[in-house]
């Protein structure tokens, strides 16, 4: 999806008609995943290649590995441990400017959303890839994925509604999801707030 305020990608130096394989039908970049201005959250079983990412028109990528947020199986209070690891990792990987995210909890939700808005600006088209999501919806790492996606959507919608200049077109891909395993992503916050987000399988 892409807001009206996003910057267009400059034209290629080589027109599509001059591709090296003229026998093949000309291919154009999607310039926004599947030319869809609304669908933005996707799941895939295997990892995406850089060729696939480029073909879809994305020029900027942020990769997070949800496996880094998973504590040991016998850990006490695994969700708390996961929330601390996820908060620090998200702050680092997304290059957030401002106060550290102490934990991915409801207490930090509004702060994280404010920090995410400038991180989604000035980047053309942005693809956020979250690795090793899996299909166990009670898994602490997957719970943190749901919380992050909730913050991303809220921050993006707010920035778009306020016509924040140079807001990127942003899509998210959840890797490591077996086919049919994640039609919706549950969002579960520590204060009891819950919702679900529709996921498109690719």
């Amino acid at each position: 999806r892409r807001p009206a305020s996003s910057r267009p990608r400059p034209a290629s130096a080589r027109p599509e008609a001059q591709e090296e394989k003229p026998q093949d039908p000309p291919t154009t970049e999607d310039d926004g995943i599947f030319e869809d201005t609304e669908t933005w959250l996707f799941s895939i079983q295997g990892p995406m290649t850089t060729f696939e990412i480029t073909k879809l028109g994305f020029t900027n990528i942020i990769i997070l590995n949800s496996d880094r947020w998973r504590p040991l199986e016998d850990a006490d209070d695994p969700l708390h441990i996961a929330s601390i690891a996820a908060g620090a990792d998200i702050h680092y990987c997304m290059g957030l400017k401002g106060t550290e995210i102490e934990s991915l909890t409801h207490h930090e939700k509004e702060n994280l959303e404010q920090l995410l808005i400038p991180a989604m600006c000035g980047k053309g088209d942005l693809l956020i890839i979250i690795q090793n999501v899996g299909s166990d919806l009670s898994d602490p790492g997957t719970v943190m994925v749901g919380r992050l996606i909730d913050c991303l959507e809220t921050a993006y919608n707010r920035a778009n509604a306020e016509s924040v200049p140079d807001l990127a077109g942003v899509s998210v891909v959840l890797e490591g999801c077996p086919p049919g395993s994640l039609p919706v992503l549950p969002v579960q916050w520590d204060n009891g707030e819950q919702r679900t987000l529709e996921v498109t399988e690719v």
Side-chain angles (χ1 to χ4, degrees):
R1 60 181 177 177
R2 179 186 291 111
S5 61
S6 67
R7 65 177 72 176
R9 186 174 185 181
S12 170
R14 182 169 61 182
E16 293 296 336
Q18 298 178 13
E19 289 291 342
E20 294 180 2
K21 297 181 179 180
Q23 70 276 16
D24 294 335
T27 57
T28 58
E29 291 172 340
D30 188 302
D31 199 25
I33 197 159
F34 305 134
E35 299 182 347
D36 190 335
T37 59
E38 296 298 330
T39 306
W40 61 277
L41 180 59
F42 304 86
S43 68
I44 189 172
Q45 182 170 15
M48 297 186 73
T49 66
T50 53
F51 175 79
E52 292 170 331
I53 293 168
T54 302
K55 188 176 180 181
L56 291 172
F58 291 102
T59 53
N60 296 272
I61 311 164
I62 294 175
I63 301 175
L64 301 107
N65 184 357
S66 64
D67 215 26
R68 293 177 55 88
W69 310 339
R70 295 183 172 100
L72 297 173
E73 291 185 4
D74 58 351
D76 293 329
D77 202 353
L79 284 176
H80 176 67
I81 296 172
S83 71
I84 293 174
D89 198 44
I90 291 163
H91 195 282
Y92 172 81
C93 292
M94 299 201 66
L96 303 183
K97 307 296 183 183
T99 57
E100 298 288 330
I101 303 299
E102 295 182 1
S103 61
L104 190 51
T105 56
H106 186 266
H107 177 71
E108 290 275 13
K109 184 176 185 290
E110 186 173 349
N111 180 34
L112 175 57
E113 290 166 359
Q114 289 292 339
L115 297 179
L116 284 171
I117 291 176
M120 293 188 287
C121 294
K123 300 183 186 306
D125 287 312
L126 173 63
L127 180 64
I128 300 171
I129 298 175
I130 306 180
Q131 300 172 317
N132 300 307
V133 174
S135 56
D136 182 357
L137 303 183
S138 64
D139 170 79
T142 306
V143 172
M144 295 306 121
V145 171
R147 293 181 185 180
L148 171 58
I149 300 303
D150 188 33
C151 290
L152 283 167
E153 186 192 39
T154 301
Y156 183 93
N157 288 342
R158 181 183 304 160
N160 193 26
E162 295 174 358
S163 298
V164 172
D166 215 4
L167 178 63
V170 179
S171 293
V172 179
V173 170
L174 310 178
E175 288 187 346
C177 303
S181 65
L182 199 67
V184 294
L185 177 68
V187 176
Q188 308 168 53
W189 288 98
D190 51 301
N191 69 338
E193 285 187 17
Q194 297 186 21
R195 61 178 295 214
T196 58
L197 295 165
E198 183 177 350
V199 182
T200 300
E201 185 177 305
V202 294

